[in-house]
């Protein structure tokens, strides 16, 4: 009998590349290409091709661990769960509900993220929940919401990228972070379009660009303002578009005009002729896009920086039009969905705001609780981690490794060690799990069914292809068992489809409306773009009806907190019609009423933006510099990033031999002029020192980096941990830490080993 392949999606980045999983007769599984999925069209990077190796029991957790006598030892599930429940309960009773914290991850499925947020607020009653996605794209989310009224990573599918005229790619290196996406930029140039890359390093992506702008780290805001100044000065604004589709232009224009080209050149190091060339390339085609990633976002002025790039799009009429717009290249596998459904400190499912009374009433109704029982907004991710051991005495952590990934990581590690109690649910024994009092082994991507939402806003179904090892359970099982032990017997199912049905009801009418999406649809289609409301019978179907304002659907507005309750939706079995409950649609013997199916919304804002008046908002911003500038003691700037063979904190990819062979450890990039001044040679051990600590790694001498800047990848723990150095200075709006710029010095320690 032949083994059956299961179509599913990669567990790593937000491309969520399609792949097939086939169990092998001799054990293990094989990953093969899946050409039918439009995002990667069969292409897989090294991480995707080797993803199945982390399924091996040899490299993962297969039994619960509890701390005894300072050591982690194996235990049974009942003992481990009892211990967690007892310690969380005791902490609440002694110190109050907010003394218990919850920390989630951008790799959790929508079902897990939804349930984790519900567990924190309904079972624990704590406001202290956030997730590592706060470190990833929260500045872009904040800026997009300010400008457009709605945040979705890309408001258009990636397939539009090759068809536009020019793309400005800001602080993104897809050649290494999401390699299958590079083909879209290659096809853009093959079609006659141009690519501008903004990055302080000449990355593999920058090498493909028609124009590479290499600003000093932390000065992207000044660069964007300088380009907008030139757009105005050269008469390249789209005045008709500004009048008809925007507000706030006068204030934004005045702010930009204070950033004349020569001033911007002094701040950024980008020559004025390059600024003028970028404006020409961006403005001459009929359509153009700006795409940002972590470079401009992971700054203490990240929201304003992204806002400035959005202002550039609005001033030139490059948003809410076909093949034009601003988008954020979301990083983590479910970074988009993870921030939509309630594990973020200030949000409820469907992108509803936790401090909105109508939103609280709607979600509380779905959960069957009193709205007044729901806690208010809590601390953001770094602030939560910083409060460990003081205000927060116990922590439940799922799917994150802040010992490696958080800024000022040595301090975060110390805070984790100071907790009265730490419980971690993870696939592997990460550096954070090693500090825990209880560690629970949980299922991973190929062993469970669940949905994720890609950087395009495309909701996808990952399908279970293999059984997990004996003794390994899902995160949904963990939360169900803990809820039961803590006195909440109902409302925490272990079946992911049952959870998704509840998520649909909770999201209905919200900005991220999933109510028209079902597992059946996701099985039959290559994903469904949200918003996708459940349409009432008689609305005419298609893209009209209940689509939120700005969805490009021409429908009625259902804004944040406005209540489109399940009671107002048509009845019918979920398996047959996609309805939100299981009641029969048969009324007095009449034939069933089958509601028209909403097709989803691949392209947002074509008719109107998701604001009260349908207009986009210019937000005036000015450059104010980074939180930490170089000085005599720390004369250089450090910026951090990724390499192609590792992923995030490396907790999983560092367990794959092929990937470790390609990227065995950390390094420090130095420009040849800087290396000569320091007396450093290729391979020398060098220490990079900031006000927060010291990291040691071999030197790499390359002209791809600016002479005033050093670069380190952040995938490794130990003495080469880059995030020991990084600055937790927070953006005032998004609460995003300033990973991308801090002041350092470099010390040469001698020849490498």
């Amino acid at each position: 009998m032949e083994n059956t392949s299961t179509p599913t999606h990669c567990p790593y980045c937000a491309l969520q590349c399609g792949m097939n999983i086939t169990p092998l007769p001799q054990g293990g599984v094989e990953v093969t290409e899946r050409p039918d999925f439009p995002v990667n069209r069969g292409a897989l990077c090294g991480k995707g091709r080797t993803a199945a190796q982390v399924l091996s029991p040899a490299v993962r957790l297969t039994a619960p661990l509890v701390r005894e006598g300072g050591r982690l030892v194996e235990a049974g599930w009942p003992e481990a769960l009892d211990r967690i429940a007892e310690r969380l309960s005791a902490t609440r009773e002694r110190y109050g509900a907010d003394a218990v914290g919850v920390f989630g991850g951008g790799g959790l499925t929508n079902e897990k993220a939804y349930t984790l947020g519900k567990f924190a607020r309904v079972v624990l009653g704590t406001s202290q929940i956030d997730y590592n996605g706060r470190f990833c794209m929260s500045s872009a989310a904040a800026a997009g919401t300010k400008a457009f009224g709605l945040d979705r990573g890309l408001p258009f599918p990636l397939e539009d990228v090759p068809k536009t005229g020019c793309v400005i790619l800001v602080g993104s290196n897809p050649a290494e972070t999401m390699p299958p996406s590079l083909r879209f930029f290659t096809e853009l140039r093959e079609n006659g379009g141009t690519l501008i890359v903004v990055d302080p390093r000449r990355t593999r992506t920058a090498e493909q660009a028609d124009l590479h702008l290499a600003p000093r780290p932390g000065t992207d805001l000044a660069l964007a303002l300088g380009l907008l100044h030139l757009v105005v000065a050269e008469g390249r604004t789209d005045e008709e578009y500004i009048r008809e589709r925007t507000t706030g232009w006068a204030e934004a224009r005045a702010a930009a005009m204070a950033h004349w080209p020569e001033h911007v050149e002094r701040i950024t190091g980008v020559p004025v002729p390059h600024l003028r060339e970028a404006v020409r390339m961006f403005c001459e085609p009929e359509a153009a896009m700006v795409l940002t990633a972590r470079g401009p976002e992971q700054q203490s002025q990240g929201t304003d920086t992204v806002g400035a790039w959005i202002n550039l799009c609005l001033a030139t009429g490059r948003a809410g039009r076909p093949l034009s717009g601003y988008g954020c290249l979301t990083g983590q596998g479910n970074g988009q969905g993870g921030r939509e459904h309630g594990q973020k400190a200030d949000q409820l499912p469907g992108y509803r705001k936790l401090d909105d009374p109508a939103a609280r009433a709607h979600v509380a109704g779905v959960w069957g609780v009193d709205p007044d029982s729901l806690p208010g907004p809590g601390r953001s991710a770094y602030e939560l981690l910083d409060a460990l051991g003081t205000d927060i005495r116990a922590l439940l952590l799922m799917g994150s490794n802040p010992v490696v990934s958080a800024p000022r990581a040595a301090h975060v590690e110390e805070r984790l060690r100071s907790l009265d109690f730490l419980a971690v649910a993870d696939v592997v024994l990460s550096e954070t799990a090693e500090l825990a009092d209880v560690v629970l082994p949980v299922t991973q991507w190929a062993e469970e069914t669940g949905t994720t939402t890609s950087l395009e806003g495309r909701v996808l179904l990952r399908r279970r292809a293999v059984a997990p090892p004996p003794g390994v359970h899902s995160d949904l099982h963990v939360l169900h068992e803990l809820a039961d032990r803590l006195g909440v017997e109902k409302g925490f199912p272990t079946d992911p489809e049952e959870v998704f049905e509840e998520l649909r009801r909770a999201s209905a009418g919200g900005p991220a409306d999933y109510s028209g999406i079902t597992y059946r649809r996701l099985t039959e289609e290559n994903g469904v773009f949200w918003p996708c409301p459940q349409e009432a019978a008689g609305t005419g179907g298609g893209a009209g009806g209940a689509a939120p304002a700005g969805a490009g659907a021409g429908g009625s507005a259902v804004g944040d907190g406005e209540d489109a309750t399940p009671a107002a939706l048509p009845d019918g079995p979920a398996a047959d019609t996609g309805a939100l409950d299981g009641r029969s649609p048969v009324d007095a013997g009449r034939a069933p009423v089958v509601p028209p199916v909403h097709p989803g919304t691949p392209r947002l804002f074509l008719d109107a933006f998701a604001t009260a008046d349908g207009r986009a908002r210019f937000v005036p911003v000015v450059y104010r510099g980074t939180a930490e500038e170089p000085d005599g003691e720390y004369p250089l700037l450090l910026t951090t990033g990724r390499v192609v063979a590792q992923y995030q904190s490396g907790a999983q990819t560092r367990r794959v031999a092929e990937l470790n062979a390609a990227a065995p450890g950390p390094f420090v990039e130095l420009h040849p002029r800087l290396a000569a001044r320091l007396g450093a040679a290729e391979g020398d051990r060098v220490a990079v020192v900031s006000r927060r600590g010291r990291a040691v790694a071999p030197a790499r001498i390359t002209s791809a980096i600016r002479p005033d800047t050093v670069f380190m990848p952040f995938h490794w723990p130990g003495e080469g941990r880059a995030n020991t150095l990084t600055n937790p200075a927070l953006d005032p709006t998004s609460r995003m830490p300033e990973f991308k710029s801090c002041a350092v010095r470099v010390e040469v320690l001698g020849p490498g080993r």
Side-chain angles (χ1 to χ4, degrees), residues 21 43 64 133 153 159 175 191 216 235 239 250 423 435 468 507 553 558 580 619 627-628 674 715:
I21 298 294
E159 67 184 42
N191 292 340
R216 185 171 173 266
E239 295 296 329
L435 306 180
S507 74
V558 184
L580 297 183
V619 178
E628 189 174 78
L674 175 59
H715 309 290

Side-chain angles (χ1 to χ4, degrees), residues 196-200 211-217 219-220 222-224 226-227 230 260-279 309 706 708:
I196 302 170
V197 171
V198 179
D199 199 303
L211 178 64
H212 173 213
L213 307 179
R216 185 171 173 266
T219 64
D220 307 85
L223 177 64
L227 296 180
L230 284 170
W260 61 95
E262 292 75 15
H263 179 52
V264 169
E265 178 179 337
R266 286 194 295 272
I267 294 172
T268 65
V270 177
V272 171
H274 289 182
L275 299 175
R276 295 188 184 279
E277 179 65 5
V279 167
W309 288 105
R706 290 174 54 99
D708 58 2

Side-chain angles (χ1 to χ4, degrees), residues 18 415 530 565 630 703:
R415 293 289 85 214
W530 72 261
T565 63
S703 58

Side-chain angles (χ1 to χ4, degrees), residues 59 62 116 120 204 269 280 318 341 359 437 514 576 595 620 622 683 686:
V59 300
T62 57
L116 187 62
R204 295 184 187 182
R280 183 194 66 77
R318 306 307 176 95
H341 297 302
D437 297 286
Y514 282 31
D576 295 330
V622 294
V686 298

Side-chain angles (χ1 to χ4, degrees), residues 33-399:
E33 295 80 5
R34 185 179 153 199
D36 68 300
F37 188 60
V39 173
N40 63 308
R41 290 177 271 173
L44 293 171
C45 73
K47 295 186 288 289
R49 285 188 297 99
T50 61
Q53 294 187 31
V54 187
L55 298 171
S56 169
V59 300
R60 63 177 304 176
L61 293 165
T62 57
L65 305 174
V66 299
R67 192 165 295 279
E68 297 287 356
R71 296 174 56 248
L72 288 171
V73 298
E74 288 193 5
W77 274 92
E79 177 187 353
L81 290 165
D82 286 347
R83 190 174 297 200
I84 294 172
E86 289 166 4
R87 296 299 298 273
L88 297 183
S89 180
T91 301
R92 290 172 61 212
E93 290 176 9
R94 182 173 181 182
Y95 299 106
D98 277 357
V100 178
V102 177
F103 199 84
L108 300 179
T109 63
N110 290 319
E111 293 79 1
K112 294 177 185 179
Y114 171 83
T115 305
L116 187 62
K118 181 181 178 182
F119 178 85
R121 295 177 175 111
V122 172
V123 178
L124 298 176
T126 182
S127 67
Q128 300 303 301
I129 175 173
D130 210 68
Y131 83 125
N132 62 15
R134 178 78 67 171
F135 299 157
C136 191
M137 53 276 177
S138 55
S139 292
T145 301
K146 282 185 177 183
F148 307 132
L150 182 69
D151 156 53
R152 194 180 82 185
L154 293 181
F156 42 75
L158 276 167
E159 67 184 42
D160 285 0
V161 170
K163 304 170 187 175
T164 193
C166 177
V167 172
I168 302 180
L169 193 58
V170 188
S172 178
N173 182 17
E176 298 201 64
T177 59
M178 43 181 67
S181 71
L182 192 63
R183 68 171 58 190
F184 293 102
F185 302 101
T186 301
E187 291 172 6
L188 164 73
R189 300 183 69 212
E190 290 172 349
N191 292 340
T194 55
L195 175 64
I196 302 170
V197 171
V198 179
D199 199 303
R201 303 169 62 223
R202 188 163 183 81
T203 63
R204 295 184 187 182
T205 304
E207 289 175 353
Q208 307 299 315
D210 298 281
L211 178 64
H212 173 213
L213 307 179
R216 185 171 173 266
T219 64
D220 307 85
L221 174 52
L223 177 64
L225 287 165
L227 296 180
L228 183 53
H229 176 109
L230 284 170
V231 165
V232 175
E234 296 177 4
R236 296 181 183 271
T237 56
D238 187 331
E239 295 296 329
E240 181 180 359
Y241 173 94
I242 291 170
R243 282 194 308 273
E244 294 181 355
R245 299 204 59 186
T246 74
T247 64
W249 170 230
E251 295 84 356
R253 179 180 56 199
M257 296 314 288
H259 300 77
W260 61 95
E262 292 75 15
H263 179 52
V264 169
E265 178 179 337
R266 286 194 295 272
I267 294 172
T268 65
V270 177
V272 171
H274 289 182
L275 299 175
R276 295 188 184 279
E277 179 65 5
V279 167
R280 183 194 66 77
M281 291 169 63
F282 184 69
C283 292
E284 286 188 353
E286 291 186 7
M289 299 174 178
V290 172
L291 305 178
T292 68
R294 307 303 78 76
E297 297 160 20
Q298 289 180 329
Q299 299 183 24
S300 60
Q301 52 184 346
T303 301
D304 284 354
T305 300
V306 174
W309 288 105
I310 291 174
N311 286 348
L312 179 67
C313 290
L314 294 176
T316 53
R318 306 307 176 95
R321 283 178 167 172
L323 306 181
S324 287
Y326 163 78
C328 163
L329 295 174
T330 303
Q332 295 187 78
N334 196 33
Q336 181 68 52
R339 70 181 185 268
E340 293 169 1
H341 297 302
Q343 66 172 331
K344 195 162 171 276
D346 58 349
Q347 284 180 347
L348 288 169
Y351 245 150
R352 287 182 158 94
K353 301 297 290 183
L354 188 54
D355 56 5
D356 179 351
R360 293 169 66 88
H362 173 82
V363 174
V366 174
W367 288 350
V369 300
D370 184 341
D372 292 339
S373 71
L374 299 177
R379 292 176 172 91
S380 70
Y382 179 77
E383 292 165 306
L384 189 157
L385 295 172
D386 190 41
L388 299 181
T390 55
D391 294 344
I392 300 173
R393 310 300 292 260
L395 182 69
L396 174 63
L397 186 147
M398 286 186 158

